[in-house]
Amino acid sequence: MGLHTLRLATVPLTFSTFTSRLFLKPIPPNTLQTLGQFSRHVHPRKPFLVRAFSASPAAVQEIPPTQASDSSAARPQWKASIDFKWIRDNKEAVEINIKNRNSNADLGGVIELYENMVNLQKEVEGIREERNNVAKKMKGKLEPSERERLVEEGKSLKESLVTLEEDLVKLQDELQQVARSIPNMTHPDVPVGGEDSSAIRKEVGSPREFSFPIKDHLQLGKDLDLIDFDSASEVSGSKFFYLKNEAVLLEMALLNWTLSEVMKKGFTPLTTPEIVRSSIVEKCGFQPRGDNTQVYSIDGTDQCLIGTAEIPVGGIHMDSILLESALPLKYIAFSHCFRTEAGAAGAATKGLYRVHQFSKAEMFVLCRPEDSETFHDELIQIEEDLFTSLGLHFKTLDMATADLGAPAYRKFDIEAWMPGLGRYGEISSASNCTDYQSRRLGIRYRPSEPVQTGSKKGKASLPATKFVHTLNATACAVPRMMVCLLENYQQDDGSVVIPEPLRPFMGGIEIIKPKLR
């Protein structure tokens, strides 16, 4: 399903206006220190320049931005740095992983194509060597007949080389396309199976007991004049909504409070583009096209609406080499998100729980490989602290293999109790994607190791670059947080109490009361 071409007007938003619009209370000093780091770690990418670790102060590396291919639509527009040799050498482990994750990846096809590519590369290299030998022979004194024979041999080798090189390019392109379906490997502690096999990692609080008949958030939203689904359905279609009155303030309060709390942990705030190139969506591990895609594509372009800020934040450092001293890079990004919700239906998706457009604050981390599990624990701890502060009853799940998606090495989901809906509902997740995304986005770092001086003319040898690990986690998905707050904080008189941490961001409002009619 695609959208008609969109006509958008862009409004410049400086960092100062961002803070003045969102923050309703002074920013603490440690937060200002975090903002000061922003200019040191976020650099323009046209081109991205990194000063290499070198004895020479003039040693600068330029990494060109990814460019779309001008070739036919069948050719991949980008190439992932997939370790095909590792896949071949660990075939059994990869095969088990594909099965456990319920993936349809064609491992046999990948290995066969890789073997064919290796053999063809050897053939190409052999012909190149023959051409070089012919060229060397022609430099000496030769009989005219011998020279003529070598000229003909050189022409023949050139024609053969051109054909083989074309075949090699086609084979490499096909290998890239087929290999993209192979999912990330899985943490050894992840439960094997479907969603029902997921393990409870932690449980906080207990369901609130009510002494009066409870309402769901749809009824509360209607009675308190907070949410209008009917008008939005006429204007935009199903699964859209208007927020009204105190609900608008509640959305802003949730976002402001979340940003201020997460920034205290050293995260840099961002607002992101909400339209990105399809290739960026693919590189992050999502499928922008297909019958069951969750991504809205813009007709007649190579662009999509984002389903999460993880996608544009992942692209900030695309095709770049970072300094190890700059890591970790920790971002908290606000954006609107757009999802088709293909295949979603039934009572479990009613109201605000599953919608096409919503606001969200997303955490994103780039770090050294050896640190990613530590940061995964930090992200889930931040989420748990936020939801505990709001007084929610929730459980943290270690998601089973079949529910991980392609990029995640391990994923923790948090499900909160929603009394009006009578069930737990997912309000956030935290994923460690290891180097799955960085190999596709081309994000590396150069270790801070001593420069080695080679024997040849004293040239310095830089340490080899490595791929960063990326992690993402939901800090606040506004609609589902509203479901939790409205349903858990409802009172017998029909009002809803605002949790204490949000009140300074609500202009002093402590209770949402029924309107006088």
Side-chain angles (χ1 to χ4, degrees), residues 399-419:
M399 301 308 293
T401 52
D403 201 52
L404 291 179
Y409 173 69
R410 192 177 196 180
K411 183 176 75 162
F412 299 132
D413 279 4
I414 292 182
E415 295 183 352
W417 178 247
M418 301 176 178

Side-chain angles (χ1 to χ4, degrees), residues 36 80 136 175 184 196 203 279 322 366 445 463 466-467 476:
K136 289 178 182 177
L175 177 58
N184 199 353
D196 294 341
E203 190 163 0
S279 59
L322 305 171
L366 301 96
Y445 75 98
K466 299 179 181 180
F467 287 102
C476 177

Side-chain angles (χ1 to χ4, degrees), residues 79-116:
K79 291 187 177 181
S81 297
I82 300 173
D83 192 340
F84 296 110
K85 183 178 183 299
W86 187 93
I87 292 174
R88 183 196 61 186
D89 294 346
N90 295 271
K91 176 183 176 181
E92 291 77 13
V94 176
E95 189 171 24
I96 292 171
N97 184 61
I98 289 173
K99 180 180 178 181
N100 289 344
R101 295 174 77 124
N102 198 25
S103 169
N104 60 358
D106 182 7
L107 177 60
V110 170
I111 293 176
E112 181 181 356
L113 286 168
Y114 173 66
E115 295 285 4
N116 292 342

Side-chain angles (χ1 to χ4, degrees), residues 433-465:
C433 298
T434 61
D435 62 357
Y436 183 92
Q437 293 176 329
S438 62
R439 284 181 174 274
R440 288 153 174 77
L441 290 163
I443 310 175
R444 304 169 183 258
Y445 75 98
R446 193 173 299 283
S448 300
E449 300 173 2
V451 176
Q452 302 295 325
T453 302
S455 58
K456 294 183 178 180
K457 299 182 181 180
K459 289 186 177 179
S461 176
L462 295 173
T465 60

